[in-house]
Structures are given as C-alpha cells and as structure tokens.
Amino acid sequence: MPIQLVCSSNGEPREADGVVDLIAAHRHAVAKVESLGKRLMQAEEAEAALIGPRLDAVMADEALVRRQAAMAPVADVCELKMKAAYFERLMNDGWCDVDADDLHELLRSFVDFQI
C-alpha cells in the first residue's frame, strides 16, 4: 500500500500512522464539507458560483479519505472495533454517503486481519 498523507492540526501534510489518523483526517474532511455547505446555503448568487466548485473539490477529497480509511489494514482488535464503530456512525448519523465500494473495502480490511 502506498504511503498515505494526512494533514496535521496545523494543515501540514504528514504520513498517516494508521487507522486513527485516517479517521481523524476523514472527520476533518467532513467538517470542511459541512462548513462550505453551510456557506453555500447562505451565499448570494455570485458568491455561490465561487463556492460551488470548491465544495465539489472538498467533497471529492472527503470521498478519497473515506476510501483510504475503509481500506486501511487494522493492526489489532482495538483498531478493528474503532473502525467498525466509526463507519457505523457514518452510516447511521448521515454524516456522509458510504457507498457499496467503501463497505466492500471495509469488510475486506476486516477479513485480512489476522489474530
């Protein structure tokens, strides 16, 4: 698996340490989508035309990080439980759309786990 980069709290890219960092990166991406979505809903027509393409890009980034989190191998039972709980919340709380390919990768990462 190639090296995956995530952003630290100051916005600097760094190598992902695993499931925990990828989940944190995804939460950050979801927050960006929500923030821009709120701005778009309140924007005038001219500003909305500027925000729209940026929102599309941020949504694509969120989908990429979500897929990386789904694909990330789990190192132990704790990470497996954390990852399962996180994706359960995503699906139940409506934070974002979890598509079938994400679920497939998520389940594959669980099957590949060796006790």
Side-chain angles (χ1 to χ4, degrees), residues 19-94:
V19 172
V20 174
D21 283 342
L22 287 168
I23 288 173
H26 184 257
R27 291 181 68 179
H28 181 71
V30 168
K32 284 171 135 179
V33 169
E34 288 176 346
S35 174
L36 278 175
K38 287 178 185 177
R39 282 182 53 199
L40 181 65
M41 297 302 287
Q42 297 170 352
E44 299 292 326
E45 189 174 330
E47 185 181 9
L50 297 173
I51 295 173
R54 175 72 179 131
L55 180 59
D56 291 340
V58 170
M59 288 174 71
D61 289 343
E62 178 275 326
L64 178 65
V65 175
R66 183 179 66 238
R67 179 64 51 89
Q68 289 174 340
M71 292 173 55
V74 291
D76 54 33
V77 174
C78 181
E79 281 189 356
L80 187 139
K81 288 180 178 182
M82 180 187 324
K83 192 171 166 179
Y86 182 70
F87 276 88
E88 179 183 25
R89 278 195 319 265
L90 285 178
M91 291 183 291
N92 290 336
D93 293 340

Side-chain angles (χ1 to χ4, degrees), residues 6-14 28:
V6 296
C7 291
S8 62
S9 60
N10 63 1
E12 294 294 318
R14 62 183 177 81
H28 181 71

